[in-house]
Structures are given as C-alpha cells and as structure tokens.
Amino acid sequence: MTVLPGCYCPLDGTRVPSGSLDWCCPACRGPLDLDYSPTPAPLKSLAGRVNSLWRYAECLPIPVAECSLGEGRTPVVGLTDTVSAKLDFLMPTLSFKDRGAVMLAALATRLGPERVVADSSGNAGTAVAAYCARARLPCSVYVPEGTSAKKMEQIGAHGARLEVVAGDREATARAAREAADEAGVFYASHVYNPYFLHGTKTYVHELWEDLGGRLPDVLVLPVGNGTLLLGAALAVAELHTAGLIDRRPALHAVQAANVAPLAAAWRAGADDLTGEAVAGEPTFAEGIAIARPPRARQILRAVRESGGAFHTVTEDQIRHAQLDLASRGLFVESTGVACWAATREGGPLGAVLNGRAAVVPLCGAGLKTGLADPEAV
C-alpha cells in the first residue's frame, strides 16, 4: 500500500502525521496542507492510460482508488473564438466536486474510520455520499436549511444520513466540525482536508493534456471556499516546476456580488479577511456563498502571485448567463454559470481578456437547482 504523505499547517508549521484522523491544525484549528511535491509525467507517456483522472497517478497522493466511478476527463467546448468551457458537470454526481470527493473516500478507506462526516451546500455532500456508498463507508452529510431539494434527495439516495442544520452555511460547518471531533470520525471536508485539493487539481492536468501540453492564458475560476482555484494553483505549480509549461496562466477568481468577502479584501489590498463574517444577501450562486472561507489567505495569495484578479457578478448577470448557456445546449446550475457571467460580453472580465485565450468551468448540472429565473422562459 502507498505510504501516505503527512500534513502540516501552512500558518504555523505544526505537523500532523499520516494516518491521523485529525482534520485541522491542533494548534490553530486551521486547514492543513500536504507535505507532497510530485513530478507530473510527460505528455507522451499518458497515451493508453485509464480514461479518468487516475491517469495522472504520479501527481496523486493516492495513486489508485477502488471506489472510483470513472470521474474526470470531461470535454472542453468552445463558447467564443477565444473562450472555452470545460464541462465538469458531466461527472458521476453531476459536479466537479467528484474530483476531490473520490480522493477523500480513497483516503478514508485506508484510515478505516467508524463513520464519515461531511458538510456542504449540496454538491460536495452529494459527491462524498456517492463515493462513500461506493466504498461502503457509513456517512452523514450536514446541509443548511434551504439547500436545493434535488441535492438533498440525491444525498439521501446514496444512503447517507442527512442532517439539516437551522441557519446558514457557516452554522452547518460548525455542526459538522463538532461531530468531526468525536473519536473514530473521518471529516471528509472539502475545505480543511488537503487531499480534496489534490483531486481538484486534475482539472488543470486534463486541460494541459487536451490542449497539447499547454495551458490557456487565463483560467477563470469560481470562488467560495476556493477548492477548485487552489487545486488549479497546485497543478500549475507542478507543471511549471517540472518544465512542462513555460509560463503560468493568470488565475481570475469570480464571486457573486451578494457574497464577496474575498473580492472585498482584494480591492482593499489585504492579505486576509478582516473583521467578522458578514452573511451578505441571498444569491442564486449558493455554492459559492461563503462568508468566511478558511483558506482565504491562500486564495488571495494564489490569485495575486498568478497576476490575476477578483471579479463579481450580479444576480441579473447570473440569470442571463444561465439562460445564454442553455440556449447553446448547456444546462448548468446557477452557481456553475458564475464564470461565464463574468467572461461573456458585458461581464467584468470581458474587457480584461482582450482577446486572450481563457477557459471557464461549468461546475454543476442545471437539474440540481433548476433555473435561477424560471419565469424567464
């Protein structure tokens, strides 16, 4: 069996040994990173490998998973002459969260906990529930009241115990963390557990392979807890360090204007969030409505070091972007259209791109939430 890498706290350096069920830094209670620096395989060596994200085994802290559902290798389609979309809603549970959830389930099977706990606004919980079902692991998923009924139905269908928490996303996370502190519990956190990020990074490895060993000038990424953006930053660093790309793309982060703590910190020139969390206004982009992301400092640094920026989109822009994609044959949930809302004509990124090649992720299927404005059709 592969030896698991250890974890460490990026803030104070506290180390957590491999095989531990500790889900956070025991000193500061912050999220952990992996002590792991893989070397990607060259492009020509990938031919003939398994057609899933596991084809990048050299870059994964767990190189094989018995609980795989064939996740990854989603297609890229053009939206304009310079902007393409990666269809990550074409995953087993219909969202990009499968990339990280399969890594968490693979890790849990090796650690052998009594049960698995997760918290989510829907998609991450659904993915964890599905992969725990595949791995025959007992699972409880905490979701906030008001979560899409379709997402809750999907979580329950996979056999997970559904815990609906009165309150917002942060209240839900607190409830799950309390459960995670019990003995014998594995916290399948897509925020705190770094294995999740090493799953989402395969989004960029796939782009690199499909584009013939290069990356676009700009990666546009939605940010709530930042798991896709931080995974992308990991992959870009791996490919660049290995000499497999000669330049790093700019990472442009998108938040809903109604809940945009990171964009506000960016505009203020801050390195981290300050003050108390502010819930913000309701938004159709429920999956990125995170008032105080635990990895805020890392997200801000990753965007800054890439030469990118933060952008916000309004509820009207989200509505129109969802309908626009549907008119092109792509029915995407309202959170998943945020990047296209920012990038399409009239969005805040339109002028910034100025003809540069960009890729946006379409992260979740429209059937999960329905239309943001059903009366518009």
Side-chain angles (χ1 to χ4, degrees):
M1 183 176 293
T2 304
V3 176
L4 299 174
C7 297
Y8 68 95
C9 175
L11 291 179
D12 59 31
T14 300
R15 303 196 69 80
V16 174
S18 63
S20 171
L21 287 176
D22 288 345
W23 57 268
C24 66
C25 172
C28 72
R29 302 282 286 182
L32 298 169
D33 282 347
L34 273 189
D35 189 4
Y36 182 64
S37 301
T39 301
L43 191 64
K44 62 182 180 181
S45 72
L46 299 176
R49 292 192 180 190
V50 60
N51 194 37
S52 70
L53 63 80
W54 299 98
R55 66 197 284 111
Y56 311 109
E58 292 90 346
C59 291
L60 299 175
I62 299 174
V64 64
E66 295 77 10
C67 58
S68 173
L69 291 167
E71 55 287 328
R73 300 296 290 150
T74 55
V76 177
V77 301
L79 295 177
T80 72
D81 290 343
T82 58
V83 179
S84 298
K86 187 162 174 59
L87 310 190
D88 255 26
F89 65 88
L90 299 179
M91 289 277 199
T93 76
L94 308 181
S95 93
F96 86 94
K97 295 290 177 63
D98 289 4
R99 295 185 183 277
V102 68
M103 294 299 300
L104 296 184
L107 175 60
T109 59
R110 284 156 174 75
L111 299 182
E114 295 176 14
R115 67 187 179 108
V116 175
V117 165
D119 62 282
S120 169
S121 60
N123 284 340
T126 297
V128 169
Y131 285 98
C132 281
R134 181 75 166 176
R136 297 293 187 263
L137 293 167
C139 176
S140 297
V141 179
Y142 290 71
V143 299
E145 58 183 0
T147 297
S148 162
K150 288 296 183 183
K151 291 180 180 179
M152 290 196 285
E153 181 181 1
Q154 195 177 2
I155 291 169
H158 291 306
R161 179 177 176 177
L162 195 62
E163 302 281 358
V164 181
V165 179
D168 60 11
R169 183 65 182 82
E170 182 54 35
T172 304
R174 286 195 299 269
R177 290 195 292 263
E178 288 177 8
D181 283 332
E182 298 173 9
V185 173
F186 175 82
Y187 185 23
S189 172
H190 59 294
V191 182
Y192 281 83
N193 194 308
Y195 278 80
F196 195 91
L197 305 181
H198 284 268
T200 61
K201 74 183 182 184
T202 58
Y203 171 90
V204 166
H205 283 285
E206 289 176 18
L207 277 178
W208 168 77
E209 181 181 1
D210 288 343
L211 295 176
R214 60 183 181 85
L215 288 174
D217 303 313
V218 174
L219 294 173
V220 187
L221 300 154
V223 173
N225 278 309
T227 55
L228 184 54
L229 185 142
L230 290 173
L234 280 173
V236 168
E238 290 171 3
L239 292 166
H240 190 262
T241 299
L244 297 175
I245 55 173
D246 57 9
R247 56 169 182 76
R248 302 186 185 216
L251 306 180
H252 283 264
V254 179
Q255 295 204 287
N258 282 4
V259 186
L262 291 161
W266 174 268
R267 289 193 295 269
D271 293 331
D272 202 350
L273 302 183
T274 58
E276 296 297 319
V278 178
E281 298 296 323
T283 175
F284 293 126
E286 62 179 13
I288 54 173
I290 308 299
R292 196 167 189 85
R295 293 187 184 269
R297 179 180 290 272
Q298 291 176 282
I299 298 165
L300 288 161
R301 182 173 66 246
V303 171
R304 185 172 291 111
E305 290 179 351
S306 77
F310 279 82
H311 312 271
T312 61
V313 290
T314 67
E315 298 304 289
D316 278 345
Q317 287 173 321
I318 292 170
R319 273 196 297 263
H320 294 153
Q322 188 183 36
L323 292 171
D324 179 59
L325 285 172
S327 74
R328 299 165 183 255
L330 301 166
F331 188 31
V332 183
E333 70 169 325
S334 46
T335 296
V337 306
C339 290
W340 178 235
T343 307
R344 66 192 289 253
E345 186 177 355
L349 253 170
V352 175
L353 291 178
N354 194 27
R356 290 187 293 170
V359 173
V360 301
L362 304 183
C363 298
L367 293 177
K368 285 175 170 279
T369 56
L371 285 172
D373 185 5
E375 296 182 0
V377 294

